[in-house]
Amino acid sequence: MAKKIRASAPAKVILFGEHFVVYGKRALAAAINRRLTVEVSSREKEGYHVKIENIPTFGMAMDLEDKKAYPYKDYGGAAKAIAYVRESIGLLEERYGIGKEGVEIEIKSEIPLSAGLGSSAATCVATIAALKAFFGVRSDLDGIRADAHRVELAVQGAASPVDTAISTYGGYVLVEEGNVRRLHLAELTLIVGCVGCIPLSMDTKKASEIGLKTKKIVEEVRRRKDTFPDVYNHIFDAADEITGQAIEAIEHCELAKLGALIRINQGLLDAIGVVPGRLSELVKTSQEVGALGAKVTGAGGLDDMGSIGSVLVLPGKSEAKIKVALELAGALVMDVKTGGAGLKIEADHR
Ligand code: PMV
C-alpha cells in the first residue's frame, strides 16, 4: 500500500446548453484551470480524519467517528463538502470493502462553492480516485467517474453527468441525450465572475440548502415548461442549434461568432427565467465595456432565491476593463483557461 496518494480534479464551466441538456439537448462543458486536491495517507488512530480547506473561503478539520468539528478558518460551507467525502467513503466500503484502518484525508480546493463551477464533482472524483489508489482498488477513469456520479446522486438526489465527466476527463465534453462524448477543441481565454459564494458565517443548514439550489431551479423550469410547452420547445431547439454552431465556431477560431452565440444563449436562459438580477447585471456590465459575449454558467438562479452563481465572459480585447468592472460590481473574478487536464493521481511510496 502506498504511504500517500494525491489526486486532483478540475472545476468546470458549462459553455452552452445548461438547463436545455436536462431535456436531451446538446450541452458543451470544459475543464478550467482551478483544481481541488485530495491527499490520503495513513494515521495511527482507526477511522477517518478529514481536513478541508477552500481557498480562500473556509477550512475545517473533523474526526468522522466522534463527529466533532474543529474549524480553523471558517465554517458552514465545509459541511457540504464533508457530505460528499462521507458518501464517497460509504460507497467504497460497500462496493469494494475498503478497510477501516486509520486514514487521513486532506482536501485543498481553489473552486468557489455553489457557484456552478463543479466543486462537488471535483470533490467526489478526487476523493474516490485517491481512496481507490490508497486501498489498491483497481479502477479506470470510467469506473472513477461512474462512482463519483453515484455519490453526487446520493447526496443531491439529482445530478447531470456533465460535472463528473469533466472533472474526470478534463478537456471538453459534449452531452447529448444524456450521453457524454469527449471533444478536442482549442483553449479559450475567459473571465468568470461569481457572486454570493457561500459566505463565511453561514450555518451548515443554510449552506446545504444553497447546495441543493440546482434541484429547485431545474424543478421550476420544468413547471414553467409544462405551462407553455409549445413556446419552451422552440426555445430548447434553438439552444440545441446554438451548441452545435458554437462547436464549429471554436473549431474555426471564430471568436466574434462565438461571442454572438454566447449572447443568444444568455437571452434564452433569461427567457426560461434562470437569470436573477445580480447575474444579469454582471452580464450587462461586461458587455457594456466591450465583452464579445457573456452569459450565466451553471444553474443560474431564481429571482426569489437571491443571487448566487457565476457568469462567464468571452473578453475579446477588453479583458482588463471587464475585470475591473466585474470587481466593482462585487464579483469574485477569475482568469480562466478552458480545456485543461482532468484527474491526476500521484503516489508517494516513501
Ligand atoms: O450549477 P450546476 O453546475 O449544478 O449546473 C447545473 C446544470 C443544469 O443543466 C442546470 C442541471 C443539470 O443537471 O444538467
Side-chain angles (χ1 to χ4, degrees):
M1 195 193 302
K3 268 245 165 79
K4 194 177 270 182
I5 302 287
R6 196 173 302 114
S8 76
K12 67 100 193 8
V13 287
I14 299 181
L15 294 162
F16 292 92
E18 52 274 272
H19 286 290
F20 312 115
V21 71
V22 173
Y23 299 87
K25 306 301 177 192
R26 285 174 285 180
L28 179 66
I32 60 172
N33 52 332
R34 287 242 159 181
R35 300 183 73 84
L36 175 141
T37 303
V38 176
E39 202 170 87
V40 175
S41 53
S42 21
R43 65 166 193 155
E44 304 231 318
K45 203 172 155 216
E46 228 185 58
Y48 292 87
H49 182 260
V50 185
K51 188 172 165 192
I52 296 190
E53 191 174 353
N54 187 290
I55 307 157
T57 44
F58 69 71
M60 171 158 107
M62 174 168 194
D63 214 320
L64 288 191
E65 306 317 307
D66 70 16
K67 298 193 176 68
K68 272 194 210 122
Y70 307 97
Y72 62 88
K73 259 167 105 186
D74 219 331
Y75 317 149
K80 186 186 162 211
I82 288 276
Y84 292 97
V85 177
R86 202 187 275 284
E87 191 66 35
S88 298
I89 294 168
L91 178 126
L92 295 178
E93 282 175 348
E94 199 184 301
R95 286 178 80 91
Y96 309 102
I98 66 168
K100 284 230 179 266
E101 59 252 55
V103 177
E104 181 72 38
I105 301 178
E106 192 169 343
I107 303 182
K108 286 198 174 139
S109 173
E110 305 166 342
I111 310 171
L113 278 181
S114 292
L117 299 177
S119 63
S120 353
T123 306
C124 299
V125 168
T127 303
I128 285 173
L131 284 172
K132 279 185 168 177
F134 184 80
F135 284 104
V137 177
R138 292 169 73 92
S139 188
D140 59 10
L141 286 182
D142 294 342
I144 291 168
R145 178 192 140 202
D147 284 334
H149 191 228
R150 284 185 188 103
V151 170
E152 276 214 310
L153 282 174
V155 176
Q156 297 168 192
S160 86
V162 180
D163 292 20
T164 38
I166 275 289
S167 267
T168 308
Y169 304 129
Y172 287 82
V173 301
L174 174 67
V175 183
E176 187 172 14
E177 303 282 356
N179 298 314
V180 172
R181 186 148 62 89
R182 297 169 72 180
L183 297 185
H184 297 282
L185 297 170
E187 177 183 282
L188 295 170
T189 298
L190 303 174
I191 298 167
V192 168
C194 306
V195 281
C197 312
I198 293 181
L200 297 181
S201 53
M202 187 176 282
D203 67 47
T204 52
K205 186 167 172 287
K206 182 80 184 157
S208 51
E209 276 169 17
I210 287 180
L212 295 176
K213 81 179 177 97
T214 298
K215 196 171 166 206
K216 197 173 158 207
I217 301 167
V218 169
E219 279 166 10
E220 180 58 23
V221 171
R222 185 171 298 279
R223 202 184 59 71
R224 292 176 192 172
K225 181 183 184 294
D226 290 345
T227 313
F228 297 105
D230 296 335
V231 177
Y232 271 63
N233 285 337
H234 287 299
I235 297 176
F236 291 2
D237 287 342
D240 185 71
E241 181 60 31
I242 289 173
T243 303
Q245 291 203 18
I247 292 168
E248 285 172 22
I250 300 173
E251 277 168 350
H252 299 128
C253 297
E254 295 172 320
L255 289 187
K257 182 172 170 193
L258 189 65
L261 290 164
I262 289 175
R263 291 200 300 269
I264 308 172
N265 192 146
Q266 167 65 12
L268 298 184
L269 289 170
D270 211 358
I272 64 166
V274 296
V275 184
R278 296 258 348 256
L279 296 181
S280 177
E281 194 189 312
L282 297 183
V283 166
K284 294 281 180 215
T285 301
S286 308
Q287 283 175 186
E288 274 166 19
V289 294
L292 294 177
K295 68 179 272 291
V296 161
T297 181
L302 300 173
D303 287 329
D304 62 0
M305 281 170 88
S307 283
I308 174 165
S310 303
V311 298
L312 68 78
V313 184
L314 185 65
K317 294 195 168 58
S318 310
E319 206 170 326
K321 270 196 222 162
I322 295 166
K323 279 161 66 173
V324 171
L326 289 176
E327 262 160 23
L328 287 175
L332 169 73
V333 179
M334 296 182 281
D335 289 308
V336 160
K337 302 267 186 216
T338 58
L343 176 66
K344 290 184 192 169
I345 307 172
E346 294 160 50
D348 178 355
H349 290 271
R350 277 168 302 152

